Amino acid sequence: MSTNDQIKRPLSMVRRAATGSAVGTAIEAYDFQIYGVASALVFSKVFFSNVPPSLGIVLSFASLAVGFLARPFGAVVFGHFGDRIGRKKLLVVSLMGAGGCTTLMGVLPTHAQVGVLAPILLVALRLLQGIFHGGEQGGAVLMAVEHAPAHRRGWYGSWAFLGSPGGTLLAAGVMTVTIAATGDSFLEWGWRIPFLISFILLGVGLIIRATVTESPAFKKVGGAEHAVKAPMAEVLKKSWRLVLSAVGVNLGFNAFIWVLLTYSLAYGTEYLGLEREVMLRGTLIGAVAMIVSMLFFARLSDRIGRMTVMIPGAVFIAAYPFALFAFMDTAEPTFVLTGMIIGFVGSSALFGPLAAFLVELFPTKVAYSGVSLGYSLGAVLGGGLAPFIASLLMRASDGNSWTVSLYLTIGGAITLISLLYLRATTASFRKPEVTAPSVQSDKVDLDV
């Protein structure tokens, strides 16, 4: 598909596709974020109330990790059919499944009511939710980037990931209002409200996605009639190094952002004695700052190249963790909020261009499989395990935050090394002027 053909495509459809992707990922982020916040503030007291509080937090974050562990399975299944029959249908299924699981979590019985069955049901729904989310992110990214003109892929691709801070903002806002409105009843029944609201968001998302056409890039390469029979096998056979590199890039970022999003809440309330509202305020302000920063860095990557923007972002997430916890360990709300906001803004240099970056790694016929697998494995090894590992490190070190900082720095180093490897070995990233190739990355050297 030529650049001119893409420019001639109605801008309204390009924006509609990007908006549909943003709304879908916002709902996904909302689902994951309210679960993350509930893991930090609620579940240890509601579903794991029969163990000491510190162990309850570890178990709560372990249940959070289960959803991430299920993502690669969802990536394989949805990636296969997304490359075989198209992006749009699979995105509708993933959205309905994930939203349904979140809604059901809001009506689960507690440990006090049914004993050990309560956490079992919670983990089962979390597992199923993770499978659906494993197919959501890759498809949403593809729909946004594959509809976009070549010279604006970074910009419109970032809309798909804007849903993440957008959903975080919505989740933190809903949680803040719910805590204030329900007061002492929050742990009794108020925590259920944010989960039940997901049903309303699900309806909105389905309406918007119904108006988006199938990916033009998918149709351009022949659609379902000319699809690869085993796209995941094709990806693993011809471009496994690219998959591993994508995993590495996403691993460090996810570890950093999920500790910032979720574990910081538990750390601030349990170890520093700060109010829940203070930590949620940091998440709210940080999410707004991240939205603005992502758009800036995404557009900048269209102008000067993905690597020129993302490599400094990787350096930031490797270097900043010690400063982040230094801010937090003051236990002064102003410094805590400042440290969190800087973290959100600095990591946006990675997150803003990430959608276009991932899509440009893989050829169109196997892009759903490649993007979904690379992103989901990075999310598992980074974001899924990060809050759980952080809680274990803090418990094992008697509350010494440097252990978590070191862990995040190692993750950032993995991201940086992965980016440097791709810049050195992958054709599409050697020169800034070809970071948005005219044929949806089918010219990338897949046998690096």
Side-chain angles (χ1 to χ4, degrees), residues 205-261:
L206 289 175
I207 292 172
I208 294 176
R209 282 201 169 163
T211 66
V212 180
T213 61
E214 179 58 87
S215 161
F218 178 77
K219 292 189 289 186
K220 183 69 175 180
V221 297
E225 294 182 0
H226 296 85
V228 176
K229 291 185 178 181
M232 188 62 71
E234 184 84 1
V235 166
L236 294 177
K237 178 182 178 181
K238 292 187 175 182
S239 39
W240 59 271
R241 291 183 180 89
L242 296 179
V243 172
L244 289 179
S245 298
V247 171
V249 170
N250 202 33
L251 186 153
F253 167 75
N254 261 269
F256 180 88
I257 203 65
W258 276 95
V259 166
L260 187 59
L261 284 172

Side-chain angles (χ1 to χ4, degrees), residues 206-370:
L206 289 175
I207 292 172
I208 294 176
R209 282 201 169 163
T211 66
V212 180
T213 61
E214 179 58 87
S215 161
F218 178 77
K219 292 189 289 186
K220 183 69 175 180
V221 297
E225 294 182 0
H226 296 85
V228 176
K229 291 185 178 181
M232 188 62 71
E234 184 84 1
V235 166
L236 294 177
K237 178 182 178 181
K238 292 187 175 182
S239 39
W240 59 271
R241 291 183 180 89
L242 296 179
V243 172
L244 289 179
S245 298
V247 171
V249 170
N250 202 33
L251 186 153
F253 167 75
N254 261 269
F256 180 88
I257 203 65
W258 276 95
V259 166
L260 187 59
L261 284 172
T262 59
Y263 183 72
S264 64
L265 300 180
Y267 182 69
T269 55
E270 296 293 330
Y271 286 94
L272 303 179
L274 294 169
E275 296 293 328
R276 291 173 298 194
E277 291 79 3
V278 171
M279 303 307 299
L280 286 172
R281 193 180 307 131
T283 303
L284 280 167
I285 300 173
V288 173
M290 192 175 205
I291 289 172
V292 176
S293 302
M294 283 178 64
L295 289 170
F296 169 77
F297 286 119
R299 190 69 187 101
L300 185 64
S301 77
D302 282 331
R303 295 180 180 275
I304 66 175
R306 313 282 181 242
M307 289 296 179
T308 309
V309 176
M310 295 177 71
I311 287 175
V315 172
F316 173 84
I317 67 168
Y320 186 66
F322 286 94
L324 170 64
F325 278 93
F327 275 115
M328 296 188 68
D329 287 342
T330 64
E332 291 291 333
T334 301
F335 287 108
V336 171
L337 295 181
T338 299
M340 293 178 71
I341 293 167
I342 293 173
F344 279 109
V345 172
S347 60
S348 298
L350 270 172
F351 204 28
L354 185 61
F357 167 84
L358 290 172
V359 175
E360 289 168 357
L361 279 178
F362 303 98
T364 303
K365 287 189 175 183
V366 296
Y368 206 133
S369 297

Side-chain angles (χ1 to χ4, degrees), residues 168-192:
T168 296
L169 181 64
L170 181 61
V174 168
M175 275 290 187
T176 300
V177 172
T178 302
I179 289 172
T182 58
D184 294 338
S185 299
F186 176 70
L187 288 177
E188 184 179 350
W189 56 267
W191 65 270
R192 299 180 183 274

Side-chain angles (χ1 to χ4, degrees), residues 55-72:
L55 180 57
I57 291 176
V58 172
L59 293 176
S60 294
F61 283 129
S63 73
L64 175 69
V66 165
F68 283 93
L69 293 172
R71 278 191 173 200

